[in-house]
Amino acid sequence: MDTEHTEQTTEFLLPRSRTANERLHAMIPGGAHTYAKGDDQYPENLTPVISHGRGAHVWDIDGNRYVEYGSGLRSVSLGHAHPRVTEAVRREIDRGSNFVRPSIVEVEAAERFLATVPTAEMVKFAKNGSDATTAAVRLARAATGRPRVAICADHPFFSVDDWFIGTTPMSAGIPAATNELTVAFPYGDLAATEELLARYPDEVACLILEPATHTEPPPGYLAGLRELADRHGCVLIFDEMITGFRWSEAGAQGLYGVVPDLSTFGKALGNGFAVSALAGRRELMELGGLRHSGDRVFLLSTTHGAETHSLAAAMAVQTIYAEEGVTARLHTLGEKLAADVRAAAADMGVGEHIVVRGRASNLVFATLDENGQPSQQYRTLFLRRLLEGGVLAPSFVVSSALSDADIDHTVDVVARACAVYRKALDAADPTPWLGGRPVKPVFRRLE
């Protein structure tokens, strides 16, 4: 494939990327630093290794260009190498990035964040989402004196730490005693959540969930959770890693008007630079500080948590969102993409099998087999055709850098993929079109 949008043929299977993948696996467990980026998530021999990106496009080391969706696992919402963000970062790097005492940038970044998320009273920055959510859980346990954590069973990921990973199929290495302290509740079901809290009276420290995902919260649900948490004396934690900025600048809490006790932000906050945030009520957050007389909580203490360039990136992102109406643009782009993909799938007779879901700013797709069941084989077929057409799309999560031409190209490629999908459905066997083993779910017990 050249540097224009053209069809890639299967005779050219990314030789440089294949060699680089072997080098990655020789040195890095899993061949990537995030399981969702692993080559098992992509069709065999179609696992590009990225050279660079700009805007809504990335180039692999074989010289192929792709329209990219889900950029940086939803972190690069403004597009790669956004000039205002990179300029802010460059300016701070030239002034030094880390010191033995707090930088004035930490003051400015905290002020800016709390102005953007006015439901929070204090904030502490870190480098990744797991540290922030685990700090929130620790605060909740310290504040309530209770051991159990209640997680939303319908949300796929909260942390790399034991309190969550012990509940997944990849629980090797985590003691059973730790797993027993985490319990689960279903999203959207207040009665089931109340039953859980009643089953463990005065034991549940917190309820932690994403306030919204692929479906809107049922009417009154978040307010009902707020009331349940208050009545049962537990802390309500919103994981806003994805909803932050994509739902509104102040996250889902700003959109739906329900105030959690604690919330965590990341991903879009830095447009690809490593920064996350734990925010919340002062009386809880201060437990990790110096201005109280109770037992101290080891909240967040990270050498690199307040690197000046990442905080500068976060401030630039917040400014751009406010000045340019980025959230609205994400919705506009997503609505066009969803409508056009659905139309293309319907035209090819697979509208009930390639299903686009989610809020317009956070679209995913499901690939269903001839029986209407989710299928990794059909996902493999679909991803292979997208990649061959120059579309890198583990999801359809948009960035604001996408153009109408990018979306039109994507829809053309989707239409061609749907034609192949129809053939596989008619044969009731996608195997001839897979080109190798199927893609695999991230969370699985065995290889």
Side-chain angles (χ1 to χ4, degrees), residues 71-402:
S71 315
L73 304 182
R74 295 180 173 87
S75 67
V76 187
S77 63
L78 300 176
H80 298 289
H82 190 285
R84 292 178 65 182
V85 177
T86 55
E87 176 55 33
V89 168
R90 191 175 294 112
R91 183 168 57 248
E92 289 305 326
I93 286 177
D94 286 344
R95 292 160 51 87
S97 63
N98 210 335
F99 311 105
V100 76
R101 279 282 295 152
S103 162
I104 189 62
V105 177
E106 295 176 48
V107 178
E108 296 164 351
E111 289 173 342
R112 182 59 198 253
F113 182 90
L114 294 174
T116 302
V117 186
T119 46
E121 295 173 326
M122 299 188 81
V123 63
K124 194 157 190 181
F125 296 109
K127 301 307 281 185
N128 64 70
S130 293
D131 285 350
T133 53
T134 292
V137 166
R138 189 181 302 119
L139 269 184
R141 282 171 161 164
T144 62
R146 299 174 178 182
R148 295 190 187 273
V149 176
I151 65 171
C152 183
D154 299 304
H155 297 162
F157 189 79
F158 290 106
S159 176
V160 300
D161 291 301
D162 289 3
W163 62 269
F164 172 71
I165 293 298
T167 70
T168 75
M170 294 174 69
S171 60
I174 300 173
T178 298
N179 298 344
E180 291 166 3
L181 293 177
T182 300
V183 295
F185 61 93
Y187 187 78
D189 191 336
L190 289 173
T193 306
E194 183 158 28
E195 191 279 329
L196 177 73
L197 293 170
R199 193 187 322 150
Y200 299 104
D202 300 324
E203 291 185 45
V204 176
C206 61
L207 302 171
I208 181 168
L209 72 157
E210 295 180 62
T213 54
H214 307 321
T215 58
E216 288 292 293
Y221 173 63
L222 295 179
L225 273 185
R226 174 72 277 174
E227 189 276 330
L228 275 180
D230 290 339
R231 179 150 46 91
H232 287 270
C234 52
V235 175
L236 181 61
I237 304 171
F238 282 177
D239 178 344
E240 298 249 33
M241 291 293 157
I242 293 173
T243 53
F245 296 93
R246 286 192 177 272
W247 265 241
S248 81
E249 292 164 31
Q253 60 193 278
L255 181 64
Y256 301 123
V258 175
V259 181
D261 298 301
L262 298 170
S263 55
T264 59
F265 288 75
K267 292 192 181 289
L269 180 59
N271 201 52
F273 288 92
V275 59
S276 63
L278 168 66
R281 291 197 289 120
R282 182 175 300 276
E283 64 184 272
L284 289 172
M285 295 289 288
E286 276 284 24
L287 295 177
L290 301 175
R291 297 183 174 182
H292 68 94
S293 58
D295 290 344
R296 294 187 64 199
V297 176
F298 193 90
L299 184 56
L300 281 167
S301 184
T302 56
T303 298
H304 303 289
E307 286 175 322
T308 57
H309 59 276
S310 291
L311 295 183
M315 287 190 284
V317 166
Q318 291 166 86
T319 298
I320 294 164
Y321 264 78
E323 291 181 356
E324 299 182 9
V326 172
T327 302
R329 174 164 173 76
L330 293 174
H331 280 85
T332 298
L333 290 166
E335 286 165 359
K336 174 177 170 56
L337 177 66
D340 290 355
V341 167
R342 287 169 182 147
D347 288 346
M348 293 294 172
V350 296
E352 295 181 356
H353 299 273
I354 295 176
V355 182
V356 181
R357 298 170 174 164
R359 194 171 182 84
S361 61
N362 190 54
L363 296 172
V364 297
F365 58 82
T367 51
L368 309 182
D369 65 15
E370 55 273 10
N371 299 312
Q373 297 301 306
S375 168
Q376 293 296 103
Q377 286 188 307
Y378 279 95
R379 180 175 174 84
T380 307
L381 179 157
F382 190 58
L383 289 176
R384 175 170 286 277
R385 266 60 201 182
L386 294 186
L387 283 160
E388 289 172 355
V391 176
L392 180 56
S395 69
F396 281 143
V397 176
V398 297
S399 76
S400 65
L402 285 164

